[in-house]
Amino acid sequence: MSIRNVYLFGQGVVPGIVIGRAHLIQGANQYAWTQRHIPPEECSIEIDRLRQAVETSWQQLEDIKEQLAGDSKDPGHILEAHQMMLRDQDLQSSFEKIIVSERINAEWAVLRTLGAWEERFLRIENEYIRERFSDLRFVCTRLLRTLSGQSANEVIAPPPDAVIIATELSPADTILLGRNAVAGLITVRGGKTSHTVIIAKAFEIPTVVGVARAFEHVGEGDLVVLNGHKGEIIVNPDAKLVSVYRAQSHRMIAKDQALLEKCHLPGETADGTQVRVLANLDFADEIVKAKGHGAEGIGLYRTEFLFMVHEKDIADEQVHFQDVKELLERWPGGGPVTLRTFDLGGDKFPLTSQLAREANPALGQRSLRLALAHPHIFKAQLRGFLRAYALFPHIDLRIMFPLVASVREFQTAREILCECYRELSIEGHEIPDTFKIGAMLELPAALMIADMLSRECQFFSIGSNDLIQYALAVDRGNEKVAHMYRGLHPGILRMIHHAIRAADDAGVDISLCGDLATEPIPALIMLGLGLRSFSMPPVFIPYAKDFLRTVRLAEIEELTTHALTLPCADDIEAFMRASLGNRLQDTFWSEISEK
Ligand code: PEP
Ligand code: MG
């Protein structure tokens, strides 16, 4: 008899509550692939088998891409990257060299190569780079399945409504699972920047990653509750827990539906204070979802993601032009579209070019600093932006620089933008001069000089994700210090308050695009501090708009005034929770009460 109510925890990366039967998927390391020594005359046979398997695997990915054609969630670009990896000459020749030099069969050569790469990658501390190794593992697993005669596209055939438990999932597998309508995903490995998570979000599959002991505690067919909000898993829940979560899940599904129906209403509080709710996008095609979820504009388009998952040349103006054109042509106008110039370095790396290794990348040449150090790349992007804008002059276009540290730095970046504008005008492009130029406030020093920056900028956007990490000296990706990463720290609130006041005094538009906008208590405090514009991932927008309608501005201002007198984040949170009571329930972030 299985043990009841086993709780496991990981990182909740796609919200939602589901109850389903576990379906376990094993990775490359769990299968017993045939490994055998071969006589010299068989080497060419093994090499042929390998080449054949590469082509078959390439075709399998092509088949998945075809099935996806026309789907707005189309993550085909990730599959393309895997196809390129499969046909990579260096990779193929390293397989072949091992077959010949060690006289081993193709499966073993693939495993050997994978093992050698794994050793090198595991020594790398950066999470993003480590995750790129997963891509190699996915490609090799597919190759191994093909070599062993399995159809890699059929291996994954879960029963309907299954909750998948996997060491990790390839993007291709995740797409197949998404199309199979699985209920949820639980992985042992993976962080929130993985491609798998990007796809799980696109398919809206509730997902928890980093559940270290999943395979120890979950067996095939076990009943599992997955709470993607809290990153919580309950294995073999008793009848009482199942009914609590089932009721909660039904309520949320019904609420999701109801909220989507009214998500196009304007953002406002119960007493009619207008609050603009904008969308954060990582890829241009997400704009379709942003519109469908009631976004009143795009508050942040992270232009660097394109280069992190695509083998595209970041110095190619045409690539930037095409990307922004695709974004703008799908936006009907009416609200701002904010393009952030590339924010690479730190933990974000382009696929095609090597950035120099730095001892402390978070404090190194990242973001705007990187752009200013490589003006030809920066200009390629800015020229691409402006040329795309020329095609859609009716759009309220905003160009925003990330990680601005000083007035001089902002002025330098703006001068480069103006230079691009002048050059394009001389070249005969008719570009309206009505676009706005602004700065992200995500360094503590930048918030403290917001009054000075406001004389230069036409708008601000607060980047709370980086602000918290720099102000509190807490790495935003390190789970060991995650409990110290607190947006409600009074020091953070004071800095944000200072910036909002400076912007208001100068009449400069100010918004918040960090993830703090998705949490109800911090968002309300920002409202109380005077913020009237929030930008967040599209899926949060209907919830945020609904929640805003439950509060009155005068009440929130009063709560905020008191909250600012409290010494610690915990005190502020407890006070706000007690004051808001059950209005916090049934939000994205609700606590599940086990009554
Ligand atoms: C931020 O830092 O808050 C932000 C929105 O930018 P990113 O998360 O891309 O660093
Ligand atoms: Mg940032």
Side-chain angles (χ1 to χ4, degrees):
M1 155 122 185
S2 41
I3 306 170
R4 289 274 173 214
N5 298 350
V6 177
Y7 282 77
L8 302 175
F9 296 93
Q11 197 178 12
V13 286
V14 185
I17 293 171
V18 292
I19 304 171
R21 294 274 165 196
H23 179 66
L24 277 51
I25 295 178
Q26 307 285 338
N29 301 340
Q30 280 83 22
Y31 285 107
W33 307 107
T34 318
Q35 296 178 17
R36 60 185 181 86
H37 286 284
I38 52 171
E41 63 275 16
E42 270 188 33
C43 287
S44 60
I45 301 175
E46 286 304 299
I47 289 175
D48 282 349
R49 271 183 73 226
L50 186 78
R51 290 183 184 170
Q52 186 58 46
V54 164
E55 290 317 305
T56 309
S57 302
W58 190 93
Q59 190 55 46
Q60 289 164 355
L61 291 171
E62 193 63 16
D63 292 346
I64 302 178
K65 267 170 49 193
E66 269 167 29
Q67 285 174 31
L68 284 173
D71 191 328
S72 66
K73 298 169 191 134
D74 183 357
H77 53 278
I78 296 175
L79 301 186
E80 265 161 34
H82 286 189
Q83 284 179 309
M84 285 172 75
M85 212 183 255
L86 267 172
R87 282 189 176 161
D88 183 89
Q89 284 306 318
D90 290 342
L91 191 63
Q92 286 211 24
S93 66
S94 79
F95 293 149
E96 294 177 10
K97 265 190 212 143
I98 295 181
I99 292 177
V100 176
S101 63
E102 309 211 3
R103 303 227 187 102
I104 56 179
N105 69 339
E107 285 91 330
W108 202 350
V110 172
L111 283 168
R112 271 279 170 79
T113 310
L114 191 60
W117 277 100
E118 184 156 23
E119 257 178 47
R120 277 184 242 171
F121 270 86
L122 286 182
R123 275 186 251 129
I124 297 172
E125 273 176 29
N126 182 284
E127 184 192 346
Y128 186 79
I129 300 191
R130 272 205 318 267
E131 274 172 13
R132 301 289 69 79
F133 173 69
S134 317
D135 291 321
L136 182 63
R137 193 164 32 224
F138 300 144
V139 164
C140 288
T141 308
R142 178 167 290 275
L143 208 48
L144 286 166
R145 286 182 196 159
T146 309
L147 279 166
S148 68
Q150 303 173 9
S151 163
N153 286 0
E154 278 162 23
V155 166
I156 296 198
D161 284 341
V163 173
I164 302 299
I165 318 281
T167 305
E168 65 183 345
L169 288 167
S170 74
D173 289 347
T174 312
I175 293 165
L176 291 172
L177 292 169
R179 299 183 77 79
N180 261 309
V182 296
L185 303 176
I186 297 170
T187 64
V188 175
R189 294 207 191 107
K192 58 183 172 198
T193 62
S194 71
H195 293 147
T196 297
V197 173
I198 292 170
I199 292 166
K201 272 189 191 152
F203 280 97
E204 295 180 31
I205 312 171
T207 301
V208 180
V209 299
V211 184
R213 296 179 305 132
F215 278 95
E216 277 169 53
H217 294 282
V218 192
E220 182 73 24
D222 279 353
L223 193 63
V224 169
V225 171
L226 179 160
N227 183 343
H229 310 251
K230 292 169 57 174
E232 185 183 78
I233 315 293
I234 310 174
V235 190
N236 292 315
D238 61 26
K240 187 172 148 226
L241 270 182
V242 170
S243 75
V244 168
Y245 278 87
R246 193 167 278 152
Q248 183 75 12
S249 156
H250 287 165
R251 261 195 296 150
M252 295 197 83
I253 292 167
K255 180 155 180 164
D256 263 0
Q257 234 7 73
L259 290 187
L260 270 180
E261 277 161 27
K262 53 182 180 171
C263 72
H264 296 286
L265 295 173
E268 59 184 5
T269 59
D271 57 341
T273 304
Q274 300 294 303
V275 180
R276 210 170 40 169
V277 186
L278 310 170
N280 287 354
L281 307 184
D282 299 335
F283 294 98
D285 59 3
E286 286 174 325
I287 201 153
V288 178
K289 183 181 259 180
K291 278 193 289 186
H293 283 69
E296 296 169 79
I298 306 305
L300 168 67
Y301 175 39
R302 292 182 168 98
T303 57
E304 66 277 3
F305 271 65
L306 178 69
F307 302 95
M308 289 157 61
V309 299
H310 266 297
E311 304 259 354
K312 288 197 187 275
D313 180 4
I314 190 159
D316 185 345
E317 175 181 325
Q318 194 61 19
V319 173
H320 297 286
F321 165 75
Q322 199 57 39
D323 186 48
V324 173
K325 178 171 162 282
E326 274 167 33
L327 180 81
L328 298 184
E329 71 195 359
R330 292 186 227 176
W331 182 248
V337 175
T338 314
L339 309 177
R340 175 174 79 180
T341 60
F342 62 84
D343 184 34
L344 290 162
D347 62 346
K348 290 188 265 189
F349 298 91
L351 283 185
T352 49
S353 47
Q354 291 286 319
L355 298 180
R357 255 188 89 84
E358 295 178 311
N360 200 344
L363 303 182
Q365 196 182 57
R366 59 163 290 211
S367 199
L368 183 59
R369 300 160 188 188
L370 188 71
L372 294 179
H374 299 277
H376 71 288
I377 301 181
F378 195 32
K379 284 182 74 172
Q381 179 170 59
L382 295 170
R383 284 174 56 97
F385 283 4
L386 292 173
R387 279 178 45 217
Y389 173 48
L391 304 177
F392 307 93
H394 62 285
I395 286 180
D396 173 8
L397 189 87
R398 296 165 181 222
I399 297 179
M400 170 162 92
F401 304 126
L403 211 82
V404 170
S406 70
V407 170
R408 185 62 42 82
E409 199 180 35
F410 178 81
Q411 287 168 333
T412 307
R414 185 183 53 194
E415 184 43 39
I416 295 176
L417 174 55
C418 293
E419 192 180 305
C420 293
Y421 181 86
R422 285 193 297 272
E423 283 172 9
L424 287 167
S425 303
I426 292 167
E427 288 166 28
H429 295 273
E430 283 185 26
I431 304 162
D433 60 4
T434 40
F435 63 93
K436 300 192 179 67
I437 311 174
M440 278 193 79
L441 299 181
E442 47 185 347
L443 291 181
L447 278 94
M448 298 316 289
I449 58 161
D451 52 332
M452 299 178 198
L453 280 169
S454 69
R455 288 181 216 127
E456 309 287 331
C457 299
Q458 289 164 295
F459 68 94
F460 287 140
S461 187
I462 302 169
S464 55
N465 302 342
D466 276 316
L467 173 64
I468 299 168
Q469 101 159 334
Y470 290 118
L472 300 180
V474 176
D475 180 346
R476 62 194 258 194
N478 184 340
E479 70 283 356
K480 292 192 193 126
V481 285
H483 61 289
M484 299 173 74
Y485 185 91
R486 300 297 298 273
L488 289 177
H489 188 294
I492 303 288
L493 299 182
R494 284 184 186 189
M495 277 191 275
I496 292 180
H497 194 193
H498 178 82
I500 295 171
R501 274 195 302 221
D504 285 350
D505 289 349
V508 166
D509 194 16
I510 183 163
S511 188
L512 169 71
C513 65
D515 280 18
L516 217 48
T518 66
E519 296 175 35
I521 293 176
L524 283 189
I525 292 186
M526 302 299 142
L527 184 72
L529 295 177
L531 204 68
R532 297 290 177 269
S533 177
F534 298 84
S535 190
M536 57 193 73
V539 70
F540 288 87
I541 292 175
Y543 281 84
K545 284 189 174 179
D546 184 58
F547 186 52
L548 280 169
R549 284 192 285 268
T550 67
V551 299
R552 306 181 76 79
L553 186 64
E555 173 202 11
I556 296 306
E557 283 176 341
E558 203 177 306
L559 294 179
T560 302
T561 305
H562 181 70
L564 288 187
T565 66
L566 299 171
C568 293
D570 283 344
D571 305 326
I572 297 176
E573 180 158 356
F575 165 69
M576 292 297 285
R577 263 186 201 290
S579 309
L580 291 165
N582 63 11
R583 278 177 288 177
L584 286 174
Q585 267 176 19
D586 280 356
T587 65
F588 242 21
W589 319 266
S590 57
E591 305 289 321
I592 308 292
S593 52
E594 295 174 15
K595 286 186 208 127

